[in-house]
Amino acid sequence: MKDRLPGQWKNISADRHSVRSFRRNYPAFIAFWLTLILAFIALAADFLANEMPLIAQFQGNIYFPVFKSYAVSLGLTQWPAELLNVQWKSLTYDWVIWPPVPYLPQNLDFANAQAVSPMADQQIASAFWHHWLGTDSLGRDVLAGLIHGTRLAFGVGIVAMGIAAFWGII
């Protein structure tokens, strides 16, 4: 038992030294946290920028439309008749919780087309519907495009690094 103990402590000490050295390397440490934040944005894109509510009570029933859309796309369930092909923004809810960016990147806002800047007067119902980074020339929300584009960029990066790692290991 005594023979193993010093070797084990040496490995733990080396691990702590590696972590300490990594934390001292500020550019690497900041890049690590930035990568984690971007990974979170990529994974949570549908909960950060979506035209569907996160949670809503409609006609006395509570719905989770974002989760429901995942289940519908997997073929596990179907939309109720009252929510099939509905414009989510036009419904009258008992109460509702919207995502921080209530737009999808592919949806067009014709009232705010022609590259509306964030500081310009936008034709919106309330401040909640504001396009925080403006719109592009077609009326698509720029912030929603950035959020959902993060998912695509991470996917491409992971595939590229997987291919590079595969060939590098071979």
Side-chain angles (χ1 to χ4, degrees):
M1 183 82 173
K2 281 187 172 182
D3 296 331
R4 296 174 136 187
L5 195 57
Q8 287 176 343
W9 286 109
K10 186 175 182 180
N11 289 339
I12 291 172
S13 177
D15 291 342
R16 287 183 184 164
H17 177 69
S18 297
V19 170
R20 216 177 8 241
S21 295
F22 180 72
R23 285 187 179 173
R24 287 183 188 151
N25 185 351
Y26 290 116
F29 193 66
I30 290 170
F32 171 75
W33 282 105
L34 183 62
T35 303
L36 283 182
I37 290 168
L38 289 174
F40 170 77
I41 290 171
L43 291 173
D46 289 332
F47 298 96
L48 297 173
N50 203 331
E51 66 178 4
M52 291 185 273
L54 299 174
I55 305 169
Q57 184 172 4
F58 178 68
Q59 296 178 350
N61 296 322
I62 295 178
Y63 296 101
F64 299 88
V66 176
F67 286 116
K68 184 78 167 178
S69 68
Y70 285 137
V72 169
S73 66
L74 292 173
L76 301 175
T77 186
Q78 294 181 353
W79 286 104
E82 65 270 9
L83 296 178
L84 189 62
N85 296 325
V86 69
Q87 292 292 328
W88 292 97
K89 295 177 185 176
S90 64
L91 293 178
T92 305
Y93 300 99
D94 299 334
W95 56 267
V96 63
I97 298 175
W98 291 96
V101 180
Y103 298 102
L104 282 172
Q106 66 268 22
N107 290 359
L108 305 177
D109 183 358
F110 295 112
N112 293 302
Q114 304 305 322
V116 173
S117 77
M119 301 304 170
D121 289 331
Q122 298 178 9
Q123 297 176 14
I124 51 176
S126 70
F128 177 75
W129 301 104
H130 189 77
H131 295 279
W132 297 107
L133 292 181
T135 61
D136 65 3
S137 60
L138 297 176
R140 298 176 296 199
D141 189 76
V142 174
L143 182 56
L146 287 173
I147 290 171
H148 284 271
T150 303
R151 176 182 289 172
L152 179 64
F154 259 80
V156 169
I158 288 172
V159 169
M161 291 309 299
I163 293 170
F166 174 77
W167 285 110
I169 291 170
I170 287 179

